[in-house]
Each structure stands twice: as C-alpha cells, then as structure tokens.
Amino acid sequence: MVSWQARAVIAKYWVTRRKQVFADPGKLRESAESHQAEGVQVPDWVHRRFDVVESDVLGHRCYTLHPHEPENSQHILYLHGGAYVHQVEQAHWRFLDRLIDATGSVVTVPIYPLAPAHTYDETLAMIWETYQRILGDLPAEDQIIMGDSAGGGLTLFVAQRIKHHDRPQPRRLVLFAPWLDLTTTDPGIAEREPHDPFLSGPGLREAARLYTDGLDLRDPRVSPLFGDLSGLAPISVFTGTRDVLLTDSRRLRDSIRTTGADLDYEEYPGMFHGWIMQSLPEARHATDRVSALVGD
C-alpha cells in the first residue's frame, strides 16, 4: 500500500506541474542555468546539528558532516542527484540528517561542477579526486559510496574506477533510483512516462546532451551500465515503480545477478523519483534498511 503522505506528494506534483521542467528541453535549460554551485549554502540548521568541515577539491567545495557523537568509523561519500544540471537541494540535507542519525557515520558531500557551465570531464575528475582524498586512505570496510539519481551513476563510476586501479572495493555501494544509461532510450521509459509525476524523457536527454558535450552517450564513464559490472562491492538499489528510471535499476539488477555479485534490490510500489528524500513512511523504511545494510 502507498501511504497517504506519498499519495499527497504525488498529487501535489501533478497539480503544480512539477514535471514540466523535464518535459520541455527549453525549460530544462532555463532551470539548469539557475542551479550553479556558486549558490549552494549549507543550511544553518545543518551547522547546528553537525560539525561541518569545508574543503576545496580542484577548485570546488566539499562539505563533511561529523555527528557530534559518531557511532562508528565509517565514512559515507554521498553523491547528490539532479540530472547533472541541478544542485544539491534542501531535501538532500534533510535526508542526510536522517541518514546520519540512522547510521552514526560521517558523511561527505562534494558540490561538484554542473552542466552547462561544466561538462562530464570536470565533474568526473572532481568526484574521483574527492574519493581519493576523503576515502582513499581509509580501510575498505569503512568506505561507503552512495548516491541518488545522477549521483547513483557517479557512485557506480567511482566503483568501476576503483576496480580499474586494482584497489579494494568499498564496504558497500548504495544507489537510490540511479540514472545509469544516459541514452535514455529504453522502451520502459516511455511506458512509465504517464505515471511519473516528476521526470520525463525529453528533459533527461537534454540534460545528458549538456553534460556530455558530444561524448558517446554509451561511454561507461557517463553510462556505467555499459561498463564492467563484475568484481564490484556489494550493491544495494532502492527504486520506485512510478519512476521512469526504474528501467535502469532493473537492467542493473539483471546484469549484476549474472555476475553472481552481492546485490540487495528493493522496489517500492507506487513510489516516484526522489521519494527517498521526502518525509514519508516509505522513505523512513528505506533509510532503516540502509542503516541495517551499512552496519551489517
């Protein structure tokens, strides 16, 4: 059953036409122009809740949130979503608040460069450098890499890069509704389009065009679903059945299972893109599941 709170959010999205940004490539471009990193500020309440340390990575900011009383030695690298054109949002900070409460772990959030002002090569360079500086010297069992939507794709990119360099894999990868194939041409997307109150294929494809700047969209650096999925850390995937990107999660599930790797895959009926960030019973359940998986 879908909670009444989730049904209310879905209804609000339809009424306020939240989907129009992704339904119209022109509106997507306008929205992208207003979401550059320079405008990001850590909310005051986050500073009160945690010890916040700011650092610079290749000219871009990183924020590390330390709980006042950490419960373990684990460090989560959190890679936010936003289709590579939208910056970290208030909902992300609220989710990270719940995540730290649930896990007792330190969390680092890189404010990575976005399209159209920047392209994939700058973004990936900053993300990889952040991993090396923040998590690279920690024991593998203390490393967690996690991300939603585009951040889920970046999470898989980092894991594949770690494997390429013959380094130990992190303890776990956690992907929330990941965007893993930037071609965005799978037939499942069109089938789910009428039911998704938030995302739409045309805007996603425009965001991919801006981000990749002419690169082949099947390049594994930007579409890790086409990369080598063997030998990666245990993976947890959380997704919803209203999400047009559900097809990416299912394809990842099917591919990972052929490798015999450790996979925890959970579909939440009726959930939409970004539901994990909302204050919903389903989101609280998923956060508890993440806490159990990270801590096991």
Side-chain angles (χ1 to χ4, degrees):
M1 292 290 292
V2 178
S3 70
W4 69 264
Q5 296 97 323
R7 292 197 297 272
V9 172
I10 293 169
K12 179 181 177 181
Y13 280 3
W14 285 123
V15 168
T16 60
R17 301 182 66 192
R18 185 74 179 271
K19 188 183 179 106
Q20 64 181 334
V21 171
F22 282 96
D24 182 337
K27 291 186 181 298
L28 185 283
R29 289 192 297 274
E30 292 175 7
S31 180
E33 293 288 352
S34 66
H35 279 76
Q36 296 307 298
E38 290 74 14
V40 173
Q41 297 292 332
V42 178
D44 290 341
W45 66 265
V46 174
H47 283 280
R48 292 192 294 270
R49 290 274 291 130
F50 309 106
D51 295 323
V52 180
V53 177
E54 180 178 344
S55 56
D56 179 280
V57 178
L58 301 182
H60 302 281
R61 285 171 292 164
C62 246
Y63 293 104
T64 298
L65 281 52
H66 296 263
H68 294 310
E69 296 182 5
E71 298 176 10
N72 54 60
S73 58
Q74 290 180 158
H75 198 132
I76 298 172
L77 177 62
Y78 193 86
L79 306 174
H80 72 83
Y84 301 106
V85 298
H86 290 153
Q87 199 43 265
V88 60
E89 299 180 348
Q90 289 291 324
H92 285 106
W93 297 116
R94 291 192 293 269
F95 170 69
L96 293 175
D97 179 39
R98 298 193 298 270
L99 179 67
I100 293 172
D101 273 351
T103 64
S105 303
V106 175
V107 174
T108 289
V109 184
I111 309 302
Y112 57 84
L114 301 172
H118 306 275
T119 55
Y120 73 95
D121 49 350
E122 297 169 89
T123 300
L124 298 183
M126 190 266 182
I127 292 296
W128 177 243
E129 182 66 17
T130 301
Y131 166 77
Q132 294 187 95
R133 291 191 195 182
I134 303 297
L135 266 63
D137 292 333
L138 295 178
E141 60 268 21
D142 287 338
Q143 301 179 22
I144 306 290
I145 308 178
M146 187 180 300
D148 67 282
S149 194
L154 291 172
T155 296
L156 206 53
F157 156 77
V158 174
Q160 290 171 331
R161 179 67 64 88
I162 291 170
K163 179 187 173 183
H164 176 76
H165 287 278
D166 293 321
R167 297 170 66 171
Q169 286 286 308
R171 179 185 182 91
R172 184 169 290 273
L173 311 173
V174 184
L175 315 180
F176 302 114
W179 189 18
L180 306 174
D181 174 6
L182 265 59
T183 69
T184 321
T185 54
D186 189 283
I189 292 175
E191 293 171 9
R192 207 153 279 104
E193 182 89 42
H195 309 288
D196 189 324
F198 184 66
L199 288 183
S200 185
L204 286 171
R205 285 187 281 274
E206 179 64 9
R209 186 188 70 81
L210 295 172
Y211 174 63
T212 56
D213 192 33
L215 182 73
D216 182 353
L217 294 179
R218 294 173 60 91
D219 189 302
R221 289 173 293 174
V222 297
S223 294
L225 200 56
F226 296 108
D228 186 358
L229 299 173
S230 64
L232 302 181
I235 299 177
S236 297
V237 179
F238 295 82
T239 189
T241 59
R242 276 185 178 267
D243 193 339
V244 296
L245 293 181
L246 174 64
T247 183
D248 283 22
S249 292
R250 287 180 172 176
R251 289 165 61 196
L252 176 66
R253 174 198 62 190
D254 296 344
S255 296
I256 288 291
R257 284 178 174 169
T258 65
T259 71
D262 185 347
L263 173 70
D264 176 74
Y265 179 86
E266 303 193 29
E267 280 186 14
Y268 282 67
M271 288 299 99
F272 48 93
H273 194 73
W275 59 273
I276 189 70
M277 303 296 150
Q278 304 292 327
S279 182
L280 303 173
E282 293 86 350
R284 290 192 289 274
H285 179 274
T287 304
D288 288 343
R289 286 286 300 129
V290 171
S291 179
L293 289 163
V294 166
D296 67 8

